Amino acid sequence: MTSYPPLPQSFYQQPTLELAQSLLGCLLVHETSEGITSGYIVETEAYRGALDRAAHSFNNRRTKRTEIMFHTPGHIYTYTMHRQVLLNVVSADAEIPEAVLIRELEPKDGMPLMETRRPGRKPRELTNGPGKLCQAMGIIQSHYGGHFINPPLYITEGYNPEQVETGPRIGIPNAQEAKDFPWRFWVHGNRYVSR
DNA sequence: TGTGCGATGCTCT
DNA sequence: GAGCATCGCACAC
């Protein structure tokens, strides 16, 4: 099985909205004893702590859960929503609680392994949601606090998306004015992007 | 292929 | 004890 060179720390040192776009087309890789799974990132959302009513860290709220967002960029922020695990990339400098949510992947390596983790699903249903992709990739809550520049869970160079689209984020009806911020980014025309 | 809705557990107040 | 950055199923077309 192939390994890949992780993107360096410097990649994460860019403004959150730019990082959210730069991540599109990058390859998310998870190496486990069962094998490698990987997929291209095709949809992201930015969450910008202090200003953003939709963010857990709104108004710089600092709790056990949001603590990692106050760290340096490139850290792994996982949390559970209902029964799912969701995966975020911490962005912005230390003490600035911002992050990018990874919403959808296009599977690359290890699709058979993904299918064993999500039995009975069609190929495009393996990773077309933030909770689903964590299941398919074997990402669990205990990845919280890790770093994307090291295996087993890391991000490497992928392809350059031809066209990126932006729009309002999904599933945050109570965020008032923040729900209309065009902070969702996706690869135009990719068949793994659902909505 | 698309929409609607109920189950569900963890975190914070 | 309330509120969710969701998913899967049922049902219509």
Side-chain angles (χ1 to χ4, degrees):
Chain A
M1 247 333 159
T2 338
S3 279
Y4 301 90
L7 286 166
Q9 170 65 35
S10 59
F11 172 78
Y12 300 94
Q13 317 232 346
Q14 51 180 320
T16 299
L17 295 179
E18 288 176 29
L19 179 63
Q21 293 175 73
S22 300
L23 282 168
L24 293 175
C26 289
L27 191 65
L28 177 69
V29 187
H30 190 201
E31 299 178 3
T32 69
S33 54
E34 304 168 291
I36 286 187
T37 47
S38 74
Y40 295 108
I41 298 169
V42 294
E43 184 175 338
T44 61
E45 284 181 7
Y47 285 85
R48 307 191 58 195
L51 309 167
D52 184 356
R53 201 174 287 276
H56 297 149
S57 55
F58 174 63
N59 209 12
N60 288 320
R61 188 167 33 150
R62 189 166 187 158
T63 66
K64 186 176 143 206
R65 177 170 64 163
T66 61
E67 177 65 29
I68 195 66
M69 280 202 274
F70 291 83
H71 285 54
T72 49
H75 278 93
I76 299 169
Y77 174 32
T78 54
Y79 71 93
T80 52
M81 180 63 182
H82 296 76
R83 303 184 75 171
Q84 329 297 326
V85 176
L86 280 69
L87 178 67
N88 299 252
V89 182
V90 174
S91 65
D93 291 334
E95 301 307 314
I96 301 176
E98 302 189 349
V100 177
L101 169 68
I102 298 177
R103 289 194 58 87
E104 295 184 312
L105 298 179
E106 176 184 345
K108 181 174 185 288
D109 298 311
M111 280 187 73
L113 181 51
M114 293 183 188
E115 281 166 22
T116 64
R117 286 168 175 156
R118 289 178 52 71
R121 306 293 164 208
K122 296 193 192 99
R124 58 163 295 186
E125 291 175 343
L126 289 172
T127 57
N128 68 337
K132 301 178 195 179
L133 71 90
C134 287
Q135 237 186 300
M137 297 280 293
I139 294 165
I140 54 177
Q141 177 59 29
S142 64
H143 285 107
Y144 180 100
H147 207 295
F148 282 111
I149 64 173
N150 297 312
L153 181 61
Y154 59 93
I155 292 170
T156 186
E157 201 171 334
Y159 67 95
N160 235 349
E162 288 178 17
Q163 195 182 342
V164 171
E165 297 209 51
T166 69
R169 292 171 293 179
I170 288 176
I172 49 170
N174 298 321
Q176 300 176 33
E177 78 283 351
K179 77 176 163 48
D180 296 322
F181 294 170
W183 288 354
R184 183 163 69 97
F185 304 93
W186 67 95
V187 177
H188 177 73
N190 187 288
R191 65 197 182 95
Y192 285 91
V193 176
S194 54
R195 290 181 255 201

